[in-house]
Amino acid sequence: MKPLFLPDLIFIFLVLLLWPLSEEFTVIGPQQPIVAFVGTEVTLPCHLHPQLDATYMEVVWFHGQHSNVVHRYKYAQDYLKYQHPDYRGRTEFLRENISHGSVALRLHQIRPSDEGKYRCFFESPSHYNEAEFQLKVIGEFTVIGPQQPIVALVGTEVTLPCYLHPQWDATYMEVIWFHGQNSSLVHHYKNAQEFLKYQHLDYRGRTEFLRENIYHGSVALRLHQIRPSDEGKYRCFFESPSHYHEAEFQVNVTGIGSAPHIYIDGVGYKRLHLVCTSTGWYPEPEVQWKNHKEEPLSGGSVTMKKVNGLFSVETSITVSANSKENVSCVIGSPHQSQKKEAHIAWSGKFTVIGPHEPIIALVGREVTLPCYLHPKLDAQNMEVVWFHGQNSSLVYHYKHAWDYLKYQHQDYQGRTEFLQENITSGNVSLRIHHIRPSDEGKYRCFFESSSYYHEAEFQVYVAGIGSAPHIYKESAGNKRLYLVCTSTGWYPEPEVQWKNHQEEPLSGGSVTMKKVNGLFSVEMSIIVSANSKENVSCVIGILHFSQKMEASFNLADASFPDDIHWMEIWIGTIVFSSIVFLVIIIIIIFKCQKRKKDKVSENQHGKYYVFCSFSTLFI
C-alpha cells in the first residue's frame, strides 16, 4: 500500500519546504465597497501581507450569511466541486501575481443577488486568515451630458461628451447619439464595437467614437467637418441589460464669414451711398454701421441670402459727405464674441507706405514687397500697381477687384503673386518668384481710389551667392606656385581678396570677371613663394550681403618641383651629344683597322681607303 501514498507524501513535503511552519499572514481585501452594475462584470481583489507565495495555499471566496462557495482554489488548481450553482460558469480566478500573494476573482454577468458581503479566505499548512468586504450591485444609472450649449465652428470639429453616474464600466453597454426631432442616428456603439449599419447619411465618415475612459462610464463623440445642418438638440443614450437612460444637450453651429468689404455705390447731393458685403456666416449674423466714435449709425438696410446653408450679407447706408471721419461696417455671429469689420474714409486722402529699408532678394528665390494704406482703408475696389525702374516697367496691376495683367512686362509674366488677405484693411503685398539680377532697382507701389491716389518708392537689391571657391595650383618656377581660385554665380560683381594665415591681405594678385546670364564668374590668381608654409585663403563676397565664401590652400602640404636652369640643360645636352659622337668615331676606326688586317681585294681596298680617309677627317 505504501507506493500508493508516495505522490501525496511528496506533495506535502514540497509544501513544507516552500512554506515556513511559523509564517503568519494577514489577508487584505478592498477597503471600500465595490460597485457592480447588473449584466456586467466585477473584479474582487485580495492579497497577503507580508507578500508570500500562495501557489500551494487554499483560497476560497464565500458570499453572504450562508457562506455560499463562490470559488475555490486548492492543490494549485481550481477546485469547483462544491461551488454554489448560482456562480457556476460565472467565475474566473486571476492568479498572475499569486507568487507575491496577490489574487483576484472576476465575477461575470452580475445579478442583483450577487450583492452582499464577501469573504476572501487563505489557508496554508500552518495558518489561515480572511478579509471581508462589501459588493453593491446597481441596476440603475443616470446619463449626464454637457450642461451648457456647445458652440461648433463650420468646417472644424466638435466633441460631444457623456458619462454615467455613478461611474461604471460601459464597455458592454449600448451607446447611441441621436440628433433632432426626427432622432437621426448619428453614431451607434453595440457589443463592444461600432455598429454603423443604420447611421444617417449626413454623418457617414464624419463621426469618431472616443472610448478611452469607457471603463469609468465616460465616452465622447467627435463630429468632423461641421455643417450648419449639425445644429440642434442631441441625445446621448446608454442601455445595459437591465436599465437605460439618456441625456439631452444643445449644439449651436456658427460660421465666421469673410472680412467685410465697403465700397461707394453712389454719390448724390452732399450724400454718399455706402454698401458693405460679406459671405459665409451662420447663423444669420448681426450687422451694424458705426461712426469713428464707435457709435451706432441708424438708417441702414440689410439683405440676407442663404447659400449652402451659410448667409451672405449686403448692408447699405447713406451718409453725409460733409463728415470727414471713418465709417465702419461691423458683422458678427450671435453665438461668438468674434466680429469682423471694415472701414472707409470718404474724404478720399490716404498715404501709401512701403518698406523703409532696402529689401535684399536672393537670386533664384522669392521676395515679398509689402505696401499698406494709412489710415487703414478697404482697397478692394482701388487700383493697385507696382512699377519697376526708370522706365516704369509694369510689374503687376490690380484693377476692378481682379488681376489685370494685359500690359504686364514680359520679364515678370508667371513670376508674380498678389497677396490680398488683408486688403480690406489696406494692406497688400506682391511676391516675386525666381529672382533675377535684372529685378534689382527702385520699385513704386501705387494706389488709386475714385478720388485720390498716392504711391511709395523703395529699393530692392539683388544678391547672388555664388558657388564655393575652388583653388588649384601650377608651378611658376624657382620654388614658386601659381595659385588660381575660381567661383561662379555671383551678383553683383563680388569683392575678391587673397589673404594669408593671419587674415592679412596679399598683394600682387590678378582678377578676371566674366558675366554669364547676368551673373559673375570669378577667376583670381596669385604667385606664392615656397618659403611660406602657412595657409593662403581666397575670399569672395558681395557688398550688400554680409555672407562671404572662402577656400584655403595649405602651402606646407604643397610639393614644389626642383627648378633647373636652362643653361645647365643646354650644357648637359652638348656634353652628352659629344660623347655619343666620339664613341661612333672610335667604332669606325676600329672597324677600318680590322679590314686592313684581313687584306681585302684591291677594289675593296680602294673603297676602304676612301672610307677610312673620310673618317679621319673627323678625328
Side-chain angles (χ1 to χ4, degrees), residues 319-565:
V319 296
S320 172
N322 294 329
S323 175
K324 300 299 182 182
E325 302 295 340
N326 284 1
V327 171
S328 302
C329 169
V330 183
I331 304 177
S333 171
H335 293 328
Q336 281 207 336
S337 59
Q338 184 177 357
K339 297 181 179 181
K340 292 192 174 183
E341 62 182 284
H343 308 273
I344 188 169
W346 59 89
S347 60
K349 293 185 178 180
F350 53 82
T351 302
V352 179
I353 299 176
H356 297 290
E357 301 293 333
I359 294 177
I360 304 295
L362 293 179
V363 171
R365 305 284 186 85
E366 61 184 34
V367 69
T368 300
L369 313 178
C371 284
Y372 65 92
L373 300 179
H374 181 76
K376 295 180 179 180
L377 300 175
D378 188 347
Q380 288 184 88
N381 285 318
M382 291 188 185
E383 189 171 0
V384 185
V385 191
W386 271 269
F387 298 103
H388 175 220
Q390 294 180 350
N391 298 327
S392 295
S393 301
L394 181 61
V395 181
Y396 198 89
H397 193 178
Y398 171 85
K399 185 178 181 181
H400 302 313
W402 292 94
D403 299 328
Y404 187 72
L405 305 180
K406 183 177 180 180
Y407 301 106
Q408 184 182 42
H409 194 280
Q410 61 182 6
D411 286 350
Y412 297 97
Q413 289 175 7
R415 296 202 296 130
T416 55
E417 179 185 0
F418 186 52
L419 309 179
Q420 51 180 314
E421 291 80 4
N422 299 311
I423 194 171
T424 56
S425 301
N427 192 341
V428 296
S429 296
L430 183 68
R431 184 170 291 155
I432 302 178
H433 299 271
H434 311 305
I435 292 297
R436 307 168 180 174
S438 58
D439 294 331
E440 185 167 86
K442 289 193 179 295
Y443 284 77
R444 290 186 294 123
C445 179
F446 173 89
F447 282 71
E448 183 176 4
S449 69
S450 59
S451 60
Y452 191 71
Y453 65 88
H454 194 253
E455 67 180 22
E457 188 176 73
F458 54 92
Q459 177 73 36
V460 172
Y461 288 117
V462 173
I465 307 302
S467 61
H470 168 63
I471 300 177
Y472 62 92
K473 66 179 181 178
E474 294 179 1
S475 175
N478 290 334
K479 293 187 180 292
R480 295 181 302 166
L481 279 182
Y482 181 69
L483 301 182
V484 180
C485 177
T486 60
S487 181
T488 60
W490 291 90
Y491 187 85
E493 185 174 309
E495 297 178 331
V496 295
Q497 201 170 46
W498 289 98
K499 291 185 178 182
N500 61 17
H501 67 285
Q502 296 177 339
E503 293 295 316
E504 298 170 342
L506 296 175
S507 60
S510 63
V511 179
T512 302
M513 297 279 185
K514 292 182 180 179
K515 202 170 184 180
V516 180
N517 296 326
L519 300 177
F520 287 91
S521 296
V522 183
E523 180 176 302
M524 52 188 298
S525 60
I526 194 170
I527 296 176
V528 295
S529 171
N531 296 329
S532 174
K533 297 298 181 181
E534 302 296 341
N535 283 359
V536 173
S537 299
C538 164
V539 183
I540 305 177
I542 54 176
L543 180 63
H544 301 304
F545 205 70
S546 58
Q547 184 177 353
K548 296 181 179 181
M549 287 193 170
E550 67 178 280
S552 299
F553 185 86
N554 195 342
L555 295 173
D557 296 336
S559 58
F560 288 81
D562 293 332
D563 295 322
I564 302 175
H565 198 272

